[in-house]
Amino acid sequence: MTVYTKIIDGEIPGRFIWADESTVAIADIEPHAPGHTLVIPREPYEKFTDVPDDLAAHLFVVAKRIGQAQIEAFEPDRAMLVIAGLGVPHVHLHVIPSEDEKLISFDYAQKDVPGEELDVNAEKLRQALIAGGWGEFVPKDLHSLS
């Protein structure tokens, strides 16, 4: 069982931005920038090359919607997409609002960000998704899928 499976199952707390039948998105607890979000398939796949094509396409669409919401909520030039995946054996896409490609580097991960700050940024992103017409996929509770 991966750390992301435990978050999805409610065993570990998470800040949920998006949820549908196959995919969730959560706030990264070591964000490279405010609003940094992880898009994760509910089913764990160790490598992105193992993800079925239809699910891979869906993950990309969700990442695109999250990126659009990040641009609305945080006003960066663009949102970047990174698939790294060596730290956790469960595919996840990093969607990072940014003005600078250097933020792709994991050297820029912010450690010990207060939970209140993560909550504020996650809620900003959730509200941008709702305003963008994707409210049906925004979980009712920031800290739970139920």
Side-chain angles (χ1 to χ4, degrees):
M1 179 174 280
T2 73
V3 66
Y4 296 140
T5 304
K6 290 178 181 180
I7 292 170
I8 292 166
D9 291 347
E11 295 176 33
I12 297 174
R15 289 171 175 82
F16 293 94
I17 310 296
W18 178 282
D20 63 33
E21 64 282 345
S22 64
T23 306
V24 302
I26 60 173
D28 193 314
I29 62 169
E30 293 186 350
H32 296 207
H36 180 166
T37 301
L38 303 176
V39 176
I40 308 164
R42 288 179 183 261
E43 186 173 336
Y45 295 92
E46 187 170 342
K47 298 178 269 185
F48 87 92
T49 53
D50 293 338
V51 177
D53 290 349
D54 59 336
L55 179 56
H58 181 68
L59 292 170
F60 191 87
V61 168
V62 172
K64 179 181 174 188
R65 290 177 183 158
I66 297 290
Q68 290 167 330
Q70 289 171 333
I71 291 168
E72 241 350 91
F74 300 102
E75 300 181 343
D77 269 351
R78 61 190 62 211
M80 298 185 299
L81 180 63
V82 177
I83 304 171
L86 293 177
V88 178
H90 189 146
V91 168
H92 54 287
L93 287 64
H94 293 260
V95 188
I96 306 168
S98 182
E99 305 286 337
D100 192 329
E101 283 187 357
K102 72 180 181 187
L103 290 182
I104 291 174
S105 170
F106 286 86
D107 292 337
Y108 286 90
Q110 300 169 31
K111 310 287 185 195
D112 302 318
V113 176
E116 299 81 22
E117 185 178 332
L118 292 172
D119 287 350
V120 166
N121 289 331
E123 194 54 44
K124 249 179 123 169
L125 191 50
R126 290 161 47 89
Q127 292 307 312
L129 282 165
I130 291 168
W134 303 108
E136 69 183 285
F137 301 108
V138 176
K140 301 281 184 245
D141 183 343
L142 172 64
H143 297 287
S144 171
L145 286 174
S146 53

